[in-house]
Amino acid sequence: MDAAGGGSLGLADYVFHLFAVVSRHREARLDAALKPLGLSLSRHRALSIIAGIGPCTMSELADFSAVDRTTLTRTVDQLVEGGLVERATPRQDRRQVVLTLTGTGRETCGRSLQAIFDVNRELASDLSDDDRRAAVRMLQALLGRLVPDPVLRQRLLLLGDRAADGASR
């Protein structure tokens, strides 16, 4: 496959191939950066989603993380065991589980976000602002096609805006 997208894959297919390859390698780099904090990328993601949307239910966490509930329950169990997240059951609905960050969870989340921002800045350091904006526009358009629920899509986009604001500070 050449850089212009020639070869056996069409350009659209090659874009998604590159997304997958970049994602796998970036995730390995992020796992290494998070390890000193006692986190994996999956634990960081759950922690940062809870931080971003405030107290949330397991269902909300599953919607935002796009992780199956069995895996997510294991991840939350690890966060609870680590003293980073608390579970509560509201009196009005005993079937619900509400997740909140502990003080240690907020502190750890801040440190893990900084570690991720550092890796992201390093990876994007040679890209121009125009290239970064073009990538953002393309990814937002893809998200629009992948997430049909407009409320969820908007919340996901806003989480990205908040993360971008934090990274620029």
Side-chain angles (χ1 to χ4, degrees), residues 92-113:
Q92 65 272 22
D93 186 354
R94 295 299 217 186
R95 296 169 297 166
Q96 291 286 335
V97 173
V98 177
L99 307 169
T100 56
L101 293 186
T102 64
T104 303
R106 277 187 290 284
E107 179 185 323
T108 301
C109 186
R111 292 188 357 229
S112 67
L113 283 170

Side-chain angles (χ1 to χ4, degrees), residues 7-169:
S8 61
L9 293 177
L11 187 55
D13 294 319
Y14 187 56
V15 165
F16 288 102
H17 164 76
L18 289 175
F19 281 163
V21 172
V22 167
S23 180
R24 281 194 302 271
H25 286 276
R26 178 178 169 267
E27 287 178 2
R29 177 90 58 96
L30 293 175
D31 266 329
L34 294 169
K35 188 174 184 175
L37 300 173
L39 293 177
S40 64
L41 186 54
S42 61
R43 280 177 271 183
H44 159 78
R45 285 180 176 149
L47 199 64
S48 66
I49 290 168
I50 297 166
I53 63 176
C56 66
T57 65
M58 285 293 291
S59 294
E60 290 170 321
L61 182 57
D63 285 345
F64 279 89
S65 65
V67 174
D68 71 88
R69 291 197 49 137
T70 302
T71 301
L72 197 54
T73 298
R74 259 192 312 272
T75 299
V76 170
D77 287 345
Q78 294 165 348
L79 293 172
V80 169
E81 289 168 15
L84 304 174
V85 170
E86 293 177 339
R87 281 188 180 109
T89 304
R91 286 186 181 156
Q92 65 272 22
D93 186 354
R94 295 299 217 186
R95 296 169 297 166
Q96 291 286 335
V97 173
V98 177
L99 307 169
T100 56
L101 293 186
T102 64
T104 303
R106 277 187 290 284
E107 179 185 323
T108 301
C109 186
R111 292 188 357 229
S112 67
L113 283 170
Q114 188 58 56
I116 287 176
F117 292 158
D118 291 346
V119 169
N120 289 342
R121 284 188 198 106
E122 176 191 340
L123 294 174
S125 64
D126 294 341
L127 299 176
S128 71
D129 284 346
D130 287 343
D131 287 343
R132 292 176 195 174
R133 284 186 194 96
V136 167
R137 283 191 304 273
M138 180 181 69
L139 293 170
Q140 287 172 333
L142 291 172
L143 185 65
R145 291 181 182 100
L146 290 168
V147 180
D149 179 342
V151 173
L152 178 58
R153 183 176 56 246
Q154 188 60 33
R155 288 184 78 186
L156 290 168
L157 289 170
L158 290 174
L159 279 177
D161 286 345
R162 276 188 256 152
D165 289 343
S168 66
R169 289 187 188 131

